[in-house]
Amino acid sequence: MVTLPATVYSQQIVKKKLNVYYPAVHLTNPAVHLTNPAVQHSINSKILQRTNELIRQQGYGENPDKEETGYYELKTNERNVLSLTLVNFAYSGGAHGLTVVVPLTFNVLTGKTYQLKDLFKKDSNYVSVLSKIVGAQIKERDIMVLGEYKGIKPNQDFYIADKSLVLFYQLYDLAPYAYGIPYFPISIYAIQDIITDESPLGQMFG
């Protein structure tokens, strides 16, 4: 099975008070004759769709004073797994702007996108397992929580990087603005017993 990284290049959306970079993938590699235009189109369509949704979510065009900028970060691009984040910053005056981070994780052979539940064995009680780990990190790092920490959501935001599952919360969802976006890296080896082998996390072993 071919496990080469996808070729990723930048695209840009530029309008008045809007400047957003987003990724596009190219899955053709002449050296191994790997080409799948349907999967390539599917992945690129999903990325562009989420990019446009994020621009709208941040309220572009609603306030004439609002400015938006965006970029992306590649987190994993190996073993047929592409995990990335889209980052959008909107500012319309005041003390600070608002940053929103949207993660996307793909299988580059099939174009499948993954939710958190897809990474774990059925009946693994992954929400409880991960919630305990995140709760311990909150305590260890002395993060001030808004309200009471009640654990992660079944569809918690995540990406995969450096043999770790990284869970995160948007601004104000867990902690005050001063803490930024809280990220919680979890080694795949700490949760190996609940990871399903065919998932992107399962591909990171070895």
Side-chain angles (χ1 to χ4, degrees):
M1 180 182 294
V2 176
T3 58
L4 292 175
T7 300
V8 181
Y9 56 96
S10 296
Q11 300 279 70
Q12 188 178 17
I13 301 174
V14 180
K15 298 180 182 179
K16 184 178 181 181
K17 295 192 174 184
L18 176 72
N19 188 6
V20 172
Y21 288 90
Y22 64 95
V25 301
H26 188 59
L27 301 181
T28 301
N29 189 312
V32 293
H33 308 290
L34 171 64
T35 178
N36 194 329
V39 170
Q40 177 177 298
H41 176 74
S42 174
I43 292 174
N44 287 335
S45 294
K46 290 172 185 175
I47 292 174
L48 181 57
Q49 178 183 359
R50 291 300 287 119
T51 298
N52 285 323
E53 288 173 354
L54 186 51
I55 290 171
R56 291 193 296 270
Q57 177 184 338
Q58 287 281 64
Y60 176 71
E62 296 177 2
N63 182 343
D65 295 324
K66 178 171 287 187
E67 297 183 12
E68 278 190 41
T69 57
Y71 61 95
Y72 65 93
E73 294 180 345
L74 293 181
K75 302 299 184 178
T76 294
N77 186 13
E78 61 175 333
R79 306 187 185 199
N80 300 322
V81 176
L82 178 65
S83 191
L84 58 91
T85 55
L86 307 173
V87 185
N88 184 293
F89 176 75
Y91 181 74
S92 54
H96 50 71
L98 183 66
T99 299
V100 177
V101 178
V102 170
L104 289 167
T105 295
F106 298 97
N107 179 317
V108 299
L109 292 182
T110 65
K112 177 178 173 62
T113 57
Y114 294 88
Q115 294 182 325
L116 187 61
K117 66 180 181 180
D118 301 324
L119 308 181
F120 301 102
K121 297 174 182 176
K122 291 183 177 180
D123 303 320
S124 65
N125 203 13
Y126 73 94
V127 173
S128 177
V129 173
L130 299 179
S131 292
K132 289 178 181 177
I133 296 174
V134 171
Q137 289 193 30
I138 289 173
K139 189 172 182 179
E140 291 168 4
R141 291 156 56 183
D142 197 24
I143 296 174
M144 181 187 299
V145 175
L146 294 171
E148 179 185 354
Y149 172 67
K150 298 181 179 179
I152 70 163
K153 297 178 180 178
N155 62 341
Q156 191 70 41
D157 286 331
F158 78 92
Y159 60 81
I160 298 168
D162 302 324
K163 292 187 181 294
S164 293
L165 170 68
V166 182
L167 303 176
F168 66 94
Y169 289 81
Q170 302 297 332
L171 290 174
Y172 301 115
D173 280 355
L174 178 73
Y177 183 88
Y179 285 85
I181 294 177
Y183 294 92
F184 300 94
I186 301 171
S187 168
I188 59 174
Y189 299 103
I191 52 175
Q192 184 171 359
D193 58 330
I194 65 171
I195 293 172
T196 181
D197 292 340
E198 60 270 18
S199 76
L201 281 184
Q203 299 302 309
M204 294 300 109
F205 290 100

